[in-house]
Amino acid sequence: MSGQNHRLANSGSIDRSAPLKFQFDGQQYEGYKGDTLASALLANGVHLVGRSFKYHRPRGIMSAGSEEPNALIQLGDGNRTDPNLRATRIELRDGLVAASQNRWPCLKFDVGSVNNLLHRFFPAGFYYKTFMWPASWWLKYEHWIRRAAGLGKAPQGRDPDRYEKTHRHCDVLIVGGGPAGLAAALAAGRTGARVILVDEGTLLGGSLWSDLDCTIDGAPGLDWVRATVAELQAMPEVTLLIRTTATGYYDHNYLTLLERITDHLGTAPDHLPRQRLWKIRAKRVVLAAGAIERPLVFANNDRPGIMLASAARTYMNRFAVTPGRRVLVLTNNDDAYRTALAMHAQGVRIAGLVDLRAQPKGPLVAAAAAAGIAVHPGQAVVATRGALRVSSVEIMKLTADGAGVTGSARKIECDAVAMSGGWTPTVHMFSQSGGKLRWSEDVSAFVPDLSVQAETSVGSCNGAVSLVKCLKQGLKAGIEAARATGYKGRVTAAPNVGEPPQSDRRDLWVVPGKKPLGHAGKHFVDFQNDVTAADVHLAAREGYQSIEHLKRYTTMGMGTDQGKTSNINALAIMGEVLGANVPGADVSRVGHTTFRPPYTPATIGAYAGRNIGAFFDPVRTTAMDFWHREAGAKFEHVGQWMRAWYYPKPGESLRQAVDREVKAARDGVGILDATTLGKIDIQGPDAAEFLNRVYTNVWLKLAPGRARYGLMLKEDGMVMDDGVTARLSENRFHMTTTTGGAAGVLDWLEEWRQTEWPDLKVYITSVTEQWAVASICGPDCRTLLAELCPDIDLANDAFPFMSVREGTVAGIAARVFRISFTGELSFEINVPRRHGLALWQAMMEAGEKYDICPYGTEAMHVLRAEKGFIIVGQETDGTVTPSDLCMDWIVSKTKVDFVGKRALARRDIVSADRKRLVGLLTEDPNEVLPEGAQIVEAVQPEPPMAMIGHVTSSYYSPSCGRSIAMALVKGGPTRIGETLSIPLAGKTIRAVVTEPRFFDLDGERANG
Amino acid sequence: MVEKVGPTPPGLDPTPLDRVIGPIGGPAEAGVVLSERRHWGKLVLRGEPDDKKFITGATKALGVAPPSKPNTAATIQSTAIIWTAPNEWLVVSEPGTEAALESALESALAGTHHAITNVSDHSTIIRLSGTAARAVLAKGCAIDLHPRVFGVGQSAQTNLAKAQVIFRQFDEMPSYDILVRASFAPYLWAWLTDAGLEFGVRVEG
Amino acid sequence: MLLIDCPWCGPRDDEEFHYGGEAHILRPRDAAALSDEAFADYLFMQQNPKGPHLERWSHNHGCRRWFNMLRNTATNEILEIYPMGEKPKTEAGQAAYAANWRRETAAEKNALSGEGS
């Protein structure tokens, strides 16, 4: 390598005083601050940067922007590597390490390029046609295809970088910092409106960095850019975001912006995120996203060295890099003449200017002629040569209709080709916003038509071609957007603009070659996915004519570039094909594929933000959590709560610990942290009436100080939640809900109160976390509590089962409920959360002499299952009625109405065929059924078998000395005494149907 | 979540954050200053805003009228009365004053349809202050916090990261008092310190 | 993400809200008098229009108030927000209300007058 041999001596906006060293595919190069990786490679004469996806053809840098289909780079190494980055968007920094992709063993000699020779065997739809049979081989095929296909490599480990998100509101969001966007920002900003201007590049000013032939108010366009940016920077309510891509446009002017904060820095400071996702809510949006130049579709148009004419101009004018020393220009419009003239002015030799138009005219054409540039009007490039870089082209005269070529071919030596097929407005954001597009003959592309959100498109994304139009549209949209959000201000007058006028364009969607399409080289349409014009024709012949079918059949537009350079060409070619077959068919009828976020590829990390690790989901803990941890408890997640599951002693298994905890709760005293149950304070003169309507049983006559178990149904009659509710006073109740149901029940109660019974005088307030709850049970628990609670008479008659008292426990003001979920004598002591740990410690201390045993949720489940108490969400799944649970006793027959009452009388609900709750005792008492196991009447040699039910709860019961289970089985209690089978993998378990109760059948133990 | 075990200061009752908050201190120039407001009194006050007797009674007991404007807080000395729904307010008062305030309200409101619920332990208060406080909130809160829209005296019930919160701005710094359910407080504290990383965080006692 | 203008709290992201299905489904007064089929109209059957839809929402991460909303299901445009217990006032809302198959069903008559089917 001979250094930056394609760098121009002066001009450009790179910083020649800051040389930077970088590595590409192991080789050292040098560039300057202000370069992109692409411009630095070109400065070093490197065009070959990748291999294509399917045919592994050598590819070069085609563009200077985000539309780049070819120059996809793997950056970094280890877990900090990113695949598929566009070299045109990578800012050069010192020590940057980049590698090409999709080649093996190296870029210049790639084994995969054999696919190019075998191209006849890889037509569009190849995978669909070839790998369909035999179906069972698909897994093998897939493995092979995935190895052969694909671009870069994903990192294997955890992403070491930090990503953040933020919300931001503004009056006017402007997408795109080119002339139109800057003008809009200026007009809006001057009113004092809150403005955000976002641009994906590093410099505001857009095309003005490339189009140095424009003047604004008599001065170079860049002077206007600098003055405008300076004025905007001085406005306190204007935020200018560079290196930031507007990735998505969603409902109600909600847009996402992806800001790259440290990617361009060699070493990033630890306190800064690598990237930040901005979630913007804008009152008005101005889209000034610009336009993307279209490649021309000619034979072998993909060799390295062939690039877009506007990109070549950008490399010349902004980066002071010439793409070649003998550059051929191929165009169907005037704009590429500006590239030719710019190069000519810098002393770069123009090998020829091939114009598809038969009679180009206008000032630019005249200027080219005056400069001595060889213009070839009405000619086409029919072939290109050069293995790893274009070395020559052949040109021929086009027929008058442009469908063919005539005469003899003429060879022109060149080392770069600058092509221009016209401009495609960047309508991605507009289309994502829901706006409707229309086909514009002026630009031969889709342009914004009907907006559906508070949005305006301006400048070249709106089809404007001239700079003056871009500025005028921007200024107008800016002031209108600000005024629409309530700001006042004067209209900013449009400046005087000097720019070369442009005339017509000749759309030849396929530039004809020497032979019929597909027989002399490939006419690439989609460079990234190797889709050719012949593929589009094939798709049309095979009936894949709808644009969405074309896309999926050929993979056109499905690459990481989402077809930014290829979509219009593909649609237009399809339109032409259909036009030949279907009368009246044209491009506008072909339509366009759906534009989806993100506009350019985004890191998953940015979307995750900080919602990772401990921030992925909050973990909720109780006031006694610290004690449980110190005691070595194992925990289980119950919703977001962490609950103590069991407290193993050294060497104990789960089963051994639970057996011990259950035994202690039945024989001595056990203590459970029951804090997580939902608690709701219900107050008002109609509180009892309200409960009467939401519960299935009767509540009006419950005396103050007493409590009752209640079951809540959905309006469809299905069990939704349960719990004990106590009447604290005439007009005040303390309701409890399941742990998981707390939030849902609160919402449910509010819904009924507000929407159905607004006349009821009742207030509902969540107090779940006001209270810490220690539940003690077992024969000794009354004695223990009596020691700590001097002011409540705990005797059976003074404080009967299902009642509530207020008093002090361990010196703490407490609400004590005498209720039981274990079947034992039991008290639930509620104290304000701040005292929870103190209460627990006091109980443990005083309980020592009774061998008090903390028990976790597993023992609690066993204790309640032995008694046949249900758990909502375990015995129920949203399809279970009270009758299915054999709990008809809790459904009032006398109440006129309650939520769910009518549904319980529906035919399907009273059917005898329903699954109902029973107990199951396995023939082998040590066999514990798996929960969820299906139950059958008769085992067949293999599935299917008629399933008649499933196991809902199953444990080893230390109190019964055997396994127990509950199940929902068709016919339910009518099957008591039958033996049913539970077929499992490798064995079948047989079990006898019983009542769903296993211990203390007469319920005497709760009385203590 | 990594729990930093730090005991409750002597003579005080534990808060949900005692074992979460790390060492007190941090850079003087930190953009974010965090502290916990221990055990402030919190009463939910319910009553109908068009019931004159209720409003008069509440105003008498509180010393200031419960605000009728949504998303605002009325303050009197150190007590804040935060609008939380058209017939609901959260009264936040100095630690230990809630019982007396509850009795005062009960007697002033006797005979009206109302409800008072002591929820002092249901949530705790994290105070977020500093030049970057607004930027920290914006990382997890979707409402517009710009001073033109949300200033001193304003309050909101909304989501902050993955927690439901009520917060109010009480000075121009800006400073916010954030009420968060006790069991979500460790999560939110950790989230706030993490979100403040780029601005520097100081923890005060 | 929708921006919903809570009648009390002002504009908030839709993640603060709970969607409560179709609005103006009246609960039968004497459901026992309804056939299973007529009751099913009340309980299970909902409109699913492409276009303006009257629906119920609750600001359950904020003030927890319920309200009615007219939303175009095709564009997500919010056309009207009005209190529980009231009928829509806009032309589009009134048209959506009138066009609902539910008007005059046995279940609705029962809700209004307590009649059976």
Side-chain angles (χ1 to χ4, degrees):
Chain A
M1 276 297 139
S2 50
Q4 301 186 48
N5 53 6
H6 283 68
R7 184 77 70 181
L8 303 172
N10 37 48
S11 86
S13 58
I14 38 119
D15 182 357
R16 285 183 172 79
S17 69
L20 304 172
K21 287 193 165 45
F22 69 100
Q23 207 182 83
F24 177 68
D25 275 353
Q27 182 138 6
Q28 293 290 338
Y29 297 97
E30 202 168 271
Y32 292 121
K33 191 167 183 233
D35 262 327
T36 62
L37 176 60
S39 70
L41 284 168
L42 290 172
N44 286 278
V46 177
H47 276 264
L48 173 66
V49 290
R51 289 273 175 171
S52 72
F53 180 73
K54 183 169 156 189
Y55 299 123
H56 289 249
R57 284 165 73 107
R59 289 285 164 78
I61 295 159
M62 194 171 97
S63 74
S66 334
E67 68 271 33
E68 178 59 39
N70 291 341
L72 300 182
I73 299 296
Q74 185 101 27
L75 208 58
D77 47 27
N79 291 330
R80 271 212 169 84
T81 188
D82 280 300
N84 303 337
L85 297 180
R86 292 143 296 154
T88 51
R89 280 287 176 215
I90 299 169
E91 284 179 60
L92 197 66
R93 55 178 164 80
D94 209 37
L96 181 132
V97 178
S100 60
Q101 303 184 153
N102 205 32
R103 62 1 183 212
W104 185 86
C106 72
L107 192 51
K108 287 184 179 162
F109 175 77
D110 171 31
V111 168
S113 62
V114 69
N115 283 6
N116 189 32
L117 303 175
L118 301 175
H119 68 95
R120 287 197 191 290
F121 303 103
F122 288 94
F126 168 72
Y127 295 143
Y128 302 125
K129 288 169 180 167
T130 310
F131 297 111
M132 293 304 288
W133 184 91
S136 60
W137 278 34
W138 169 247
L139 289 176
K140 289 191 179 74
Y141 288 139
E142 189 191 18
H143 179 67
W144 179 81
I145 292 167
R146 291 215 185 279
R147 266 179 56 136
L151 295 163
K153 289 181 174 56
Q156 296 298 306
R158 192 184 170 86
D159 189 334
D161 286 313
R162 178 184 175 89
Y163 301 85
E164 291 205 3
K165 300 189 213 180
T166 190
H167 295 270
R168 186 68 91 86
H169 295 251
C170 64
D171 297 309
V172 185
L173 172 70
I174 298 155
V175 176
L182 282 175
L186 193 63
R190 282 175 175 172
T191 67
R194 294 159 63 190
V195 175
I196 298 175
L197 173 71
V198 54
D199 193 275
E200 57 181 337
T202 55
L203 292 171
L204 296 172
S207 61
L208 290 173
W209 288 94
S210 312
D211 297 349
L212 301 182
D213 50 2
C214 296
T215 59
I216 298 176
D217 283 337
L222 287 178
D223 289 1
W224 178 84
V225 170
R226 291 191 185 97
T228 302
V229 171
E231 184 175 344
L232 291 170
Q233 279 170 337
M235 295 176 180
E237 294 300 341
V238 172
T239 304
L240 304 177
L241 289 174
I242 54 168
R243 300 189 178 94
T244 306
T245 307
T247 52
Y249 195 143
Y250 307 89
D251 286 317
H252 298 178
N253 270 3
Y254 182 79
L255 290 92
T256 51
L257 315 178
L258 184 64
E259 181 189 14
R260 292 167 290 277
I261 297 170
T262 65
D263 283 355
H264 64 290
L265 304 174
T267 43
D270 281 342
H271 69 285
L272 284 182
R274 178 188 173 203
Q275 299 181 352
R276 191 193 310 274
L277 189 76
W278 294 65
K279 301 189 274 188
I280 305 284
R281 194 69 85 163
K283 291 201 179 81
R284 303 280 317 181
V285 172
V286 176
L287 296 175
I292 291 170
E293 196 168 24
R294 289 194 286 266
L296 285 164
V297 181
F298 57 97
N300 292 335
N301 55 346
D302 66 327
R303 292 189 200 279
I306 303 178
M307 64 166 58
L308 296 169
S310 61
R313 190 153 82 237
T314 298
Y315 288 119
M316 292 289 301
N317 289 345
R318 175 169 169 185
F319 298 105
V321 171
T322 179
R325 304 202 188 285
R326 289 175 58 94
V327 181
L328 182 110
V329 179
L330 173 63
T331 187
N332 71 356
N333 64 73
D334 280 357
D335 192 68
Y337 282 74
R338 300 167 80 180
T339 301
L341 288 165
M343 288 182 155
H344 178 79
Q346 289 277 1
V348 177
R349 184 162 166 200
I350 300 301
L353 201 167
V354 181
D355 195 327
L356 301 178
R357 297 173 296 182
Q359 290 173 315
K361 48 186 179 295
L364 281 166
V365 179
I373 294 171
V375 178
H376 306 281
Q379 308 255 335
V381 170
V382 294
T384 66
R385 306 227 184 285
L388 299 177
R389 167 128 179 221
V390 65
S391 59
S392 68
V393 302
E394 285 180 48
I395 67 168
M396 285 175 79
K397 189 171 165 38
L398 282 162
T399 56
D401 63 359
V405 284
T406 172
S408 56
R410 187 181 147 194
K411 185 176 170 187
I412 302 179
E413 307 275 338
C414 62
D415 61 358
V417 174
M419 60 180 165
S420 178
W423 293 81
T424 302
T426 304
V427 294
H428 297 65
M429 286 284 123
F430 173 80
S431 187
Q432 285 182 28
S433 79
K436 300 282 174 289
L437 298 167
R438 71 177 167 83
W439 180 257
S440 160
E441 289 295 339
D442 291 346
V443 292
S444 288
F446 290 98
V447 293
D449 190 11
L450 299 173
S451 292
V452 301
Q453 300 207 35
E455 162 277 335
T456 314
S457 290
V458 295
S460 53
C461 77
N462 190 36
V465 176
S466 65
L467 175 61
V468 66
K469 265 197 182 166
C470 289
L471 292 171
K472 278 183 177 166
Q473 289 183 3
L475 291 169
K476 181 166 181 278
I479 188 70
E480 283 177 356
R483 284 174 176 172
T485 58
Y487 293 87
K488 293 185 172 64
R490 299 228 311 269
V491 175
T492 302
N496 290 315
V497 174
E499 60 183 320
Q502 301 200 29
S503 56
D504 60 334
R505 186 184 62 250
R506 183 185 194 185
D507 292 322
L508 277 187
W509 297 111
V510 178
V511 178
K514 289 191 276 190
K515 293 181 184 170
L517 200 56
H519 290 269
K522 287 190 170 64
H523 288 64
F524 281 97
V525 176
D526 185 316
F527 290 73
Q528 190 173 101
N529 271 359
D530 275 351
V531 178
T532 66
D535 291 332
V536 178
H537 280 249
L538 177 69
R541 282 200 302 279
E542 298 196 343
Y544 296 91
Q545 299 175 348
S546 142
I547 197 61
E548 295 288 0
H549 288 160
L550 170 68
K551 172 173 174 173
R552 282 152 188 83
Y553 192 64
T554 63
T555 72
M556 182 282 299
M558 290 174 77
T560 61
D561 63 344
Q562 290 285 289
K564 289 185 176 65
T565 54
S566 63
N567 276 335
I568 291 294
N569 282 339
L571 312 182
I573 294 168
M574 177 60 86
E576 275 185 342
V577 177
L578 297 185
N581 302 325
V582 185
D586 59 26
V587 182
S588 62
R589 291 205 181 185
V590 174
H592 54 83
T593 53
T594 308
F595 295 91
R596 291 191 181 87
Y599 173 64
T600 52
T603 44
I604 298 287
Y607 287 93
R610 296 298 294 154
N611 293 334
I612 56 171
F615 299 122
F616 181 71
D617 199 26
V619 171
R620 304 172 66 185
T621 53
T622 71
M624 291 82 106
D625 180 72
F626 174 66
W627 191 94
H628 304 321
R629 276 173 209 281
E630 294 280 290
K634 302 281 181 197
F635 288 83
E636 71 168 340
H637 285 275
V638 181
Q640 291 173 318
W641 286 102
M642 282 291 256
R643 295 195 69 180
W645 186 19
Y646 62 102
Y647 301 81
K649 292 196 165 165
E652 264 186 347
S653 66
L654 166 67
R655 164 82 174 270
Q656 287 166 335
V658 169
D659 284 1
R660 175 177 51 75
E661 291 172 16
V662 168
K663 197 165 159 22
R666 294 251 182 260
D667 298 343
V669 55
I671 181 166
L672 172 84
D673 181 352
T675 300
T676 62
L677 285 187
K679 304 166 205 74
I680 299 171
D681 183 42
I682 301 174
Q683 293 193 56
D686 294 324
E689 172 62 24
F690 181 69
L691 293 176
N692 215 41
R693 295 185 192 185
V694 295
Y695 278 132
T696 60
N697 49 350
V698 291
W699 287 82
L700 297 180
K701 289 186 181 145
L702 185 70
R706 298 306 305 264
R708 188 164 283 172
Y709 174 77
L711 209 54
M712 230 176 254
L713 308 184
K714 291 269 186 184
E715 185 74 319
D716 64 5
M718 303 303 162
V719 173
M720 132 177 199
D721 206 81
D722 69 347
V724 170
T725 294
R727 190 167 205 164
L728 301 175
S729 63
E730 181 62 23
N731 292 342
R732 187 170 197 178
F733 291 80
H734 175 112
M735 174 187 276
T736 65
T737 75
T738 59
T739 296
V745 169
L746 186 77
D747 287 349
W748 179 250
L749 299 180
E750 271 296 345
E751 178 177 350
W752 284 91
R753 196 203 67 75
Q754 287 181 41
T755 68
E756 204 59 47
W757 310 314
D759 51 316
L760 289 189
K761 288 189 163 180
V762 57
Y763 292 122
I764 306 153
T765 303
S766 169
V767 290
T768 297
E769 304 212 28
Q770 171 66 19
W771 303 100
V773 184
S775 177
I776 54 171
C777 76
D780 294 334
C781 79
R782 180 184 277 135
T783 325
L784 167 63
L785 183 56
E787 283 184 29
L788 297 168
C789 177
D791 53 358
I792 301 176
D793 183 348
L794 301 175
N796 258 341
D797 48 350
F799 189 1
F801 186 53
M802 297 308 276
S803 47
V804 60
R805 296 290 180 269
E806 303 210 24
T808 52
V809 179
I812 305 161
R815 273 182 198 166
V816 183
F817 296 81
R818 189 173 158 203
I819 55 181
S820 178
F821 195 42
T822 59
E824 298 300 317
L825 173 68
S826 178
F827 297 91
E828 287 194 9
I829 304 146
N830 287 236
V831 296
R833 190 190 198 277
R834 73 184 76 174
H835 301 302
L837 186 57
L839 170 75
W840 186 276
Q841 283 167 333
M843 304 290 300
M844 290 306 298
E845 211 169 292
E848 211 177 332
K849 53 185 166 297
Y850 306 102
D851 283 332
I852 188 169
C853 176
Y855 67 96
T857 50
E858 188 66 20
M860 177 193 81
H861 278 135
V862 175
L863 288 159
R864 66 89 201 176
E866 289 176 341
K867 286 290 296 175
F869 296 150
I870 62 145
I871 287 187
V872 170
Q874 188 149 348
E875 270 63 58
T876 73
D877 59 7
T879 68
V880 176
T881 68
S883 175
D884 296 342
L885 296 169
C886 301
M887 290 172 71
D888 303 80
W889 54 269
I890 202 171
V891 180
S892 163
K893 307 280 183 294
T894 55
K895 284 201 289 185
V896 175
D897 194 16
F898 56 84
V899 176
K901 178 178 167 74
R902 171 62 183 86
L904 293 180
R906 292 177 57 239
R907 277 193 298 279
D908 294 338
I909 301 303
V910 298
S911 152
D913 206 25
R914 290 185 67 83
K915 288 183 187 175
R916 300 186 71 201
L917 194 69
V918 294
L920 289 180
L921 293 176
T922 52
E923 287 185 341
D924 173 357
N926 288 315
E927 185 88 63
V928 180
L929 288 164
E931 287 174 354
Q934 294 293 325
I935 301 164
V936 302
E937 233 162 338
V939 180
Q940 306 296 330
E942 58 183 46
M945 290 171 250
M947 295 176 288
I948 58 167
H950 64 274
V951 178
T952 59
S953 290
S954 176
Y955 310 94
Y956 182 80
S957 160
S959 311
C960 303
R962 58 154 300 133
S963 71
I964 57 170
M966 294 199 271
L968 286 164
V969 177
K970 269 188 188 171
T974 64
R975 291 185 184 268
I976 287 175
E978 285 182 31
T979 300
L980 300 175
S981 294
I982 298 95
L984 302 172
K987 64 175 172 183
T988 294
I989 300 174
R990 287 165 58 79
V992 178
V993 179
T994 67
E995 292 276 349
R997 275 177 293 283
F998 308 95
F999 182 73
D1000 181 35
L1001 297 181
D1002 56 7
E1004 277 305 309
R1005 299 178 67 96
N1007 293 324
Chain B
M1 206 156 298
V2 180
E3 227 184 349
K4 299 184 184 98
V5 177
T8 302
L12 299 179
D13 292 325
T15 77
L17 291 174
D18 275 340
R19 294 175 192 281
V20 178
I21 296 178
I24 302 300
E29 70 281 8
V32 178
V33 182
L34 290 171
S35 60
E36 186 188 17
R37 314 296 289 167
R38 302 178 71 90
H39 297 307
W40 277 60
K42 296 161 210 101
L43 301 176
V44 170
L45 171 64
R46 307 291 303 263
E48 295 310 310
D50 50 7
D51 177 352
K52 280 200 186 110
K53 224 177 136 197
F54 167 79
I55 293 292
T56 313
T59 306
K60 188 175 145 228
L62 296 168
V64 61
S68 57
K69 194 174 169 204
N71 303 324
T72 62
T75 52
I76 176 160
Q77 286 150 1
S78 55
T79 303
I81 300 103
I82 305 170
W83 181 99
T84 49
N87 57 8
E88 180 176 333
W89 296 265
L90 186 66
V91 183
V92 181
S93 62
E94 294 268 356
T97 60
E98 61 270 20
L101 197 52
E102 185 175 1
S103 325
L105 279 163
E106 281 295 1
S107 51
L109 295 172
T112 70
H113 174 41
H114 72 277
I116 300 160
T117 309
N118 184 342
V119 291
S120 299
D121 287 24
H122 187 65
S123 61
T124 191
I125 298 174
I126 298 174
R127 178 161 286 185
L128 165 67
S129 186
T131 51
R134 186 177 284 117
V136 164
L137 274 190
K139 290 187 185 187
C141 175
I143 70 173
D144 192 353
L145 299 166
H146 190 278
R148 285 180 187 172
V149 179
F150 196 101
V152 174
Q154 218 106 29
S155 67
Q157 284 181 101
T158 185
N159 297 333
L160 180 55
K162 296 189 175 190
Q164 270 179 258
V165 296
I166 302 171
F167 61 79
R168 69 182 182 97
Q169 185 181 336
F170 63 88
D171 71 20
E172 298 284 357
M173 173 61 99
S175 302
Y176 305 89
D177 271 351
I178 306 167
L179 287 115
V180 60
R181 291 175 76 147
S183 67
F184 282 92
Y187 160 81
L188 192 66
W189 181 273
W191 185 89
L192 286 165
T193 50
D194 181 80
L197 185 71
E198 64 177 299
F199 311 109
V201 178
R202 187 171 76 245
V203 175
E204 293 187 345
Chain C
M1 194 185 302
L2 308 191
L3 186 68
I4 298 175
D5 201 2
C6 168
W8 298 100
C9 302
R12 298 292 181 92
D13 278 4
D14 64 20
E15 62 182 30
E16 292 191 15
F17 295 83
H18 170 77
Y19 173 64
E22 185 183 332
H24 306 293
I25 301 177
L26 301 182
R27 191 164 187 260
R29 268 201 238 174
D30 178 12
L34 287 175
S35 68
D36 276 3
E37 288 69 22
F39 181 69
D41 278 351
Y42 153 73
L43 186 59
F44 298 120
M45 307 307 279
Q46 299 220 346
Q47 293 267 99
N48 186 22
K50 181 181 180 183
H53 186 222
L54 296 165
E55 47 201 36
R56 307 183 317 149
W57 289 76
S58 154
H59 187 198
N60 68 334
H61 285 201
C63 64
R64 311 206 316 275
R65 294 308 100 174
W66 283 83
F67 54 90
N68 290 317
M69 184 161 115
L70 176 64
R71 179 178 65 103
N72 185 322
T73 59
T75 63
N76 273 333
E77 188 184 1
I78 295 169
L79 301 156
E80 184 179 352
I81 286 174
Y82 56 101
M84 272 292 145
E86 292 185 13
K87 299 237 173 85
K89 290 182 183 64
T90 60
E91 209 172 296
Q94 287 172 353
Y97 182 86
N100 193 325
W101 62 272
R102 190 181 302 285
R103 302 290 86 87
E104 303 286 307
T105 56
E108 188 170 276
K109 281 182 189 161
N110 179 294
L112 292 168
S113 66
E115 284 170 20
S117 56

